[in-house]
Amino acid sequence: MTLEITTARPESALLDLPWSTPLEEWPETYLAALPRGISRHVVRFVKLGPRVLAVKEIKDDIADREYAMLRNLRRLDVPSVEPFGVVHGRATADGEPLDACLITRHLQFSLPYRALYSQNLRPHTAVRLMDALALLLVRLHLEGFWWGDVSLSNTLFRRDAGAFAAYLVDAETGELHTRLSDGQREHDLDIARINIAGELMDLAAGGFLEEQADPFEVSASIIERYHTLWGTLTGTERFESGDRWRVEERIRRLNELGFDVDELSITTDIGGTEIVITPKVVDAGHHSRRLLRLTGLDVGENQARRLLNDLDAYAAATDRQGEDEEIVAHDWLARIYEPVTRAVPRELTGRLEPAEIFHEVLEHRWYMSERAGHDTPIEDALRDYVATVLPAKPEEKAVLGVDTEEMPVISRFD
Amino acid sequence: MPAHPGGHHLYNGSSGTFLPVKEGNEAMATVTFDNATRQYPGNPVPSVDKLNIEIADGEFLVLVGPSGCGKSTSLRMLAGLEEVNGGRILIGDRDVTNLSPKDRDVAMVFQNYALYPHMTVADNMGFALKIAGVDKAEIRKRVEEAAKILDLTPYLDRKPKALSGGQRQRVAMGRAIVRSPQVFLMDEPLSNLDAKLRVQTRTQIASLQRRLGVTTVYVTHDQVEAMTMGDRVAVLKDGILQQCDSPRRMYDHPANVFVAGFIGSPAMNLMEVPVTDGGVDLHGHTVPVAREDLTGVGKNVTLGVRPEDLELSSDQSGIPVTVDVVEELGADAYIYGSTEQKLLEATGENAGAVPFIARVDGRRPPEKGDKIFLKPKSGHVHVFNAESGLRVGD
């Protein structure tokens, strides 16, 4: 049999991986970490040059389908892992055929939910994870994607200025439609609630769940959060024609939630006394797009919001609010943002993403100022943060699953 | 006679195993789709159009059809997840059309087979009941009953790590059983498994369902799965029920051309042929069809013959087929070839080569490149109206 590799990023080192060995038996020399996590299938993390890749051994047709699905999701700009390739035609030295492998890129600085629970966390982590997952689910549903297996295990989380941003990891059960019916969305929510409750109960049984979190309340809260967000993003509003400011108000509210309104339907009744508005196309990434345009920085939505606030504060403090925004942004980047993120010693750069460090330094400055009773310069805050806070943080650049045992339920039948 | 659960009593079954049996006063869990219709806003046609199916108590009904046929929508309508715009849905005598999902006493079984490593086997089986607010003693009782059925009793207080693969899978099934709903709903539960496991799990689900006797509605796109699992199979296309019958009846008496082509693997050969006196003409060979059946069908009909219902003809009459591939299976061999089909209307030109499949004796199969002639075995042809696609005669 001939090995057949499909990849959007041809990389000759891919050929050096031991494809003729069942994934379960790959020697440790290839692995970036020991196998962890709950998975239906055998999954391994391998190092390939500067990258860490996740390799999943599954049936050929499922591998192709998931690869194509992940590519579609990336095209739709939904937060999901990046598909790297599919390897077909594997066989052992004896000619015994092996299943295909789906390769995805490991998402840097992402955390499996189990890893989050093995750390010392601020309270309400579970609640913040629900916020992130509800937002992800809304974004997927807006694009017509029915997930079919919504769960914490199938999601990765990235720190996002004190909150979390969720990424879809497993699209195996997913279906892409032109649009979803209410029933399809309810179905996903039903699945989410049960899976998440099970996952949180498991954490509780292992003694990892923060005490104030009740698995049932937390898992049920995703439904409420989802509906609130969905209602704000897609709901129809009616008002008297005199209240036109409410159109602007609606757009502002959506922007605040991080969404741009690409299309808004506005209708009036025959007499023109009532106005009805419905957002038709909303697009996530309001703040991160603006920051990217101004500075070239590609960061999480909340991080972008935080950075933009600091940029505004900089413009105000330097009395340049009337100037061209792009020029001010360029100066802010050179004088404030980059000096802070570059000041992090090399050995600590794997702890947090630069934008998250910047956010934490701003937080740290706020606490220092409050304690001192006066403003603290960012340079002082930075020095203190790097000396006292950052070294105590765990390395998060490549957390590949923590504190779980591999549990392929569907293994060989006995 | 399968024992019936639903109530939570145990009955020492004739095989010596304990099976839960239905209490005497338990309502019959029939399911009725009565003109049930679902039309999405903005869609010109309904996704499910006046669906009428009556599912018997304890029956295993499979909804099957190609992508977009309305099978999953129908299941979600029954689950209460999808609004019903017209008609009704009944469970037993209860009209559930406007009830919320949790008031319907149905359990949606989905694909998640993940077991939780820190929880005991008992907790892994009973956690969904906890979510539903069932009290502890009741959960324990139901878990113990399910464990007996699944031979998991000795493992209840262990962690899943201690179990074999097969046992773990039974725990996953136990999750559904403990909910002891009136109706199980399953939406493509096997689609992510590899072929071998799919066959094993398929058998396991079917046999478990028969032992439990719980009314089950199962959705799949795979007609083989449908035919091997269902007591009855309902074929849908474009939101419209095409036929609902036992697998045998469905195979032997497809109600229209779509069902004929969809059910069966390899697929039925379908060709358009002219009507003659006393039957239809197949390359000069008259296939007899009752005259009364052919009244009003027009000049041509669609003739269907399953690959196994063909015989090699020795006198060069019948359907001429050029052999492309011979698949030898020991006792039998499948011939994959092509035949020239004439466009009968108007021009009489050749439509070109159309694929043709036949099963022949495996001991002396023809060879690749041979030209052979095939005749349908008598009484084994299916005739369909060329316009409407509906079956003609019995």
Side-chain angles (χ1 to χ4, degrees):
Chain A
M1 223 188 274
T2 49
L3 198 64
E4 189 189 315
I5 300 179
T6 309
T7 174
R9 296 167 174 271
E11 184 118 19
S12 60
L14 266 184
L15 291 165
D16 301 333
L17 293 172
W19 297 116
S20 59
T21 308
L23 188 55
E24 216 170 350
E25 294 162 22
W26 280 20
E28 257 178 60
T29 47
Y30 292 100
L31 304 184
L34 290 173
R36 303 274 186 194
I38 305 182
S39 173
R40 270 194 289 263
H41 310 285
V42 181
V43 177
R44 291 290 182 270
F45 293 99
V46 300
K47 258 193 113 61
L48 192 77
R51 296 197 180 91
V52 175
L53 302 176
V55 182
K56 175 160 87 168
E57 198 169 66
I58 38 173
K59 285 288 152 194
D60 291 47
D61 51 336
I62 303 177
D64 285 337
R65 193 179 167 277
E66 192 174 0
Y67 180 67
M69 186 64 83
L70 287 172
R71 281 177 66 98
N72 279 331
L73 289 177
R74 296 286 294 189
R75 220 166 282 147
L76 293 170
D77 213 16
V78 174
S80 51
V81 289
E82 188 185 328
F84 194 84
V86 185
V87 179
H88 285 296
R90 298 172 62 214
T92 63
D94 308 334
E96 190 75 21
L98 294 169
D99 280 351
C101 280
L102 172 72
I103 312 170
T104 51
R105 275 185 82 166
H106 172 255
L107 187 65
Q108 282 196 348
F109 290 104
S110 67
L111 301 163
Y113 79 103
R114 283 174 183 273
L116 283 166
Y117 280 99
S118 63
Q119 299 180 358
N120 226 349
L121 279 166
R122 291 200 300 182
H124 310 304
T125 303
V127 172
R128 287 183 295 146
L129 293 185
M130 289 309 108
D131 281 332
L133 193 49
L135 174 61
L136 174 63
L137 200 54
V138 164
R139 289 186 63 180
L140 289 167
H141 285 178
L142 284 171
E143 299 292 348
F145 181 81
W146 180 77
W147 193 341
D149 197 8
V150 191
S151 69
L152 292 168
S153 321
N154 285 339
T155 311
L156 282 175
F157 296 91
R158 248 184 189 171
R159 292 184 189 281
D160 190 10
F164 290 101
Y167 291 75
L168 174 143
V169 183
D170 189 318
E172 237 179 83
T173 45
E175 295 167 15
L176 205 47
H177 300 268
T178 324
R179 54 172 293 183
L180 294 185
S181 71
D182 292 349
Q184 282 168 318
R185 295 189 299 110
E186 286 302 321
H187 194 177
D188 253 358
L189 284 172
D190 198 37
I191 292 169
R193 194 172 57 95
I194 292 177
N195 277 347
I196 294 166
E199 287 166 325
L200 294 177
M201 281 166 72
D202 186 53
L203 286 177
F208 299 108
L209 193 64
E210 54 207 289
E211 266 173 27
Q212 71 272 33
D214 171 4
F216 306 118
E217 272 176 33
V218 173
S219 61
S221 74
I222 189 171
I223 296 182
E224 200 187 306
R225 279 154 210 279
Y226 173 95
H227 283 307
T228 308
L229 193 53
W230 185 266
T232 313
L233 290 176
T234 64
T236 295
E237 246 181 295
R238 301 166 176 277
F239 42 82
E240 299 291 300
S241 60
D243 288 340
R244 280 188 209 174
W245 57 273
R246 289 183 58 177
V247 178
E248 291 303 310
E249 164 64 18
R250 179 70 179 269
I251 293 173
R252 197 186 55 74
R253 229 166 43 232
L254 291 173
N255 287 166
E256 241 163 50
L257 283 168
F259 285 82
D260 282 323
V261 182
D262 287 352
E263 207 181 307
L264 183 77
S265 113
I266 306 180
T267 51
T268 59
D269 59 359
I270 298 168
T273 55
E274 198 186 53
I275 295 181
V276 181
I277 57 167
T278 315
K280 288 291 182 196
V281 184
V282 291
D283 211 358
H286 172 73
H287 299 98
S288 55
R289 258 196 306 275
R290 183 169 160 233
L291 185 74
L292 184 68
R293 179 173 61 77
L294 289 174
T295 65
L297 293 174
D298 190 4
V299 304
E301 182 65 15
N302 286 318
Q303 291 167 342
R305 189 194 315 253
R306 193 75 214 262
L307 267 53
L308 286 168
N309 280 342
D310 195 60
L311 170 59
D312 288 343
Y314 172 79
T318 51
D319 203 15
R320 299 173 64 185
Q321 280 150 310
E323 274 186 45
D324 185 346
E325 206 183 14
E326 281 170 40
I327 294 170
V328 181
H330 182 264
D331 288 348
W332 169 83
L333 192 66
R335 290 183 195 165
I336 307 287
Y337 182 79
E338 285 179 345
V340 168
T341 51
R342 281 201 193 125
V344 177
R346 178 176 282 277
E347 68 274 15
L348 296 179
T349 52
R351 302 293 163 99
L352 290 174
E353 277 185 288
E356 192 65 15
I357 289 181
F358 188 80
H359 156 75
E360 294 218 334
V361 170
L362 292 182
E363 293 276 283
H364 193 66
R365 180 175 65 171
W366 190 86
Y367 285 117
M368 282 175 77
S369 304
E370 199 190 41
R371 226 178 300 136
H374 57 77
D375 263 3
T376 307
I378 195 156
E379 294 78 11
D380 293 355
L382 172 64
R383 212 172 299 118
D384 193 57
Y385 176 82
V386 169
T388 62
V389 181
L390 194 57
K393 302 229 170 225
E395 186 90 7
E396 289 188 353
K397 189 170 184 180
V399 177
L400 305 173
V402 170
D403 187 53
T404 61
E405 291 161 62
E406 180 149 290
M407 186 129 317
V409 174
I410 302 298
S411 60
R412 292 285 147 242
F413 231 67
D414 48 359
Chain B
M1 178 68 193
H4 293 277
H8 317 301
H9 283 277
L10 289 174
Y11 165 69
N12 194 351
S14 58
S15 62
T17 54
F18 284 94
L19 294 173
V21 292
K22 217 167 239 188
E23 288 172 46
N25 58 1
E26 193 80 19
M28 294 283 278
T30 57
V31 171
T32 310
F33 286 91
D34 175 16
N35 278 316
T37 299
R38 171 71 184 138
Q39 184 156 8
Y40 295 127
N43 267 19
V45 289
S47 294
V48 174
D49 196 0
K50 297 199 185 71
L51 181 63
N52 285 299
I53 305 179
E54 280 187 42
I55 305 167
D57 186 36
E59 185 175 2
F60 195 121
L61 182 100
V62 181
L63 295 171
V64 68
S67 172
C69 72
K71 54 190 189 300
S72 291
T73 306
S74 305
L75 194 74
R76 282 197 297 267
M77 286 159 78
L78 174 55
L81 293 166
E82 202 80 72
E83 195 191 330
V84 178
N85 305 119
R88 302 183 304 161
I89 295 177
L90 308 177
I91 297 177
D93 300 328
R94 235 167 21 121
D95 185 341
V96 299
T97 316
N98 297 310
L99 290 187
S100 78
K102 65 175 176 13
D103 297 328
R104 295 190 179 204
D105 201 10
V106 299
M108 195 91 163
V109 181
F110 46 81
Q111 295 176 354
N112 190 345
Y113 292 96
L115 296 192
Y116 302 114
H118 300 110
M119 280 156 55
T120 62
V121 168
D123 285 342
N124 262 289
M125 281 165 69
F127 85 94
L129 293 180
K130 257 192 195 171
I131 299 170
V134 179
D135 77 69
K136 264 189 179 164
E138 176 69 22
I139 295 176
R140 187 70 198 182
K141 197 170 110 194
R142 290 205 214 168
V143 166
E144 281 174 2
E145 285 172 7
K148 273 185 194 140
I149 298 169
L150 296 163
D151 293 324
L152 290 169
T153 307
Y155 307 100
L156 277 181
D157 295 315
R158 298 202 204 165
K159 299 281 166 69
K161 198 170 75 162
L163 304 187
S164 69
Q167 286 167 335
R168 288 178 191 177
Q169 210 178 8
R170 295 210 293 277
V171 176
M173 292 201 181
R175 260 183 207 168
I177 296 176
V178 296
R179 293 166 76 175
S180 56
Q182 280 193 290
V183 185
F184 278 130
L185 309 179
M186 306 195 192
D187 189 1
E188 302 257 12
L190 309 180
S191 62
N192 283 344
L193 304 184
D194 65 54
K196 190 176 155 203
L197 214 53
R198 199 151 55 214
V199 173
Q200 289 166 336
T201 313
R202 186 162 92 195
T203 317
Q204 221 178 16
I205 290 178
S207 84
L208 192 62
Q209 192 275 340
R210 258 130 221 161
R211 285 171 67 192
L212 294 170
V214 177
T215 313
T216 300
V217 184
Y218 185 104
V219 162
T220 180
H221 67 281
D222 179 347
Q223 59 92 16
V224 176
E225 210 168 289
M227 295 292 275
T228 50
M229 294 181 85
D231 292 325
R232 274 191 308 156
V233 175
V235 178
L236 280 95
K237 182 189 170 243
D238 301 332
I240 296 169
L241 179 65
Q242 305 291 309
Q243 185 171 3
C244 181
D245 258 320
S246 70
R248 184 79 259 158
R249 178 86 194 162
M250 183 83 71
Y251 193 80
D252 292 340
H253 292 82
N256 58 38
V257 172
F258 176 77
V259 176
F262 186 76
I263 297 289
S265 177
M268 183 187 284
N269 299 294
L270 293 163
M271 57 218 115
E272 200 169 312
V273 295
V275 174
T276 59
D277 197 29
V280 297
D281 176 70
L282 197 57
H283 296 272
H285 165 81
T286 299
V287 178
V289 177
R291 192 179 300 266
E292 64 266 28
D293 292 337
L294 290 174
T295 43
V297 295
K299 275 191 220 151
N300 302 314
V301 291
T302 304
L303 186 77
V305 193
R306 295 213 179 270
E308 68 270 29
D309 293 333
L310 288 154
E311 286 171 326
L312 281 172
S313 103
S314 45
D315 58 359
Q316 306 233 323
S317 72
I319 309 155
V321 173
T322 309
V323 179
D324 297 328
V325 175
V326 181
E327 189 181 74
E328 300 204 39
L329 301 168
D332 304 313
Y334 276 104
I335 309 281
Y336 294 85
S338 56
T339 183
E340 296 290 320
Q341 173 156 6
K342 280 182 183 157
L343 265 181
L344 297 143
E345 290 296 320
T347 62
E349 277 174 42
N350 274 350
V354 291
F356 202 91
I357 307 169
R359 191 177 78 187
V360 296
D361 190 338
R363 276 163 299 193
R364 23 180 190 9
E367 285 177 20
K368 184 179 170 195
D370 283 359
K371 184 159 188 181
I372 56 171
F373 292 86
L374 294 160
K375 278 186 191 166
K377 291 179 189 166
S378 88
H380 283 86
V381 293
H382 307 265
V383 183
F384 305 98
N385 188 307
E387 303 257 304
S388 67
L390 291 178
R391 186 180 188 85
V392 170
D394 183 37

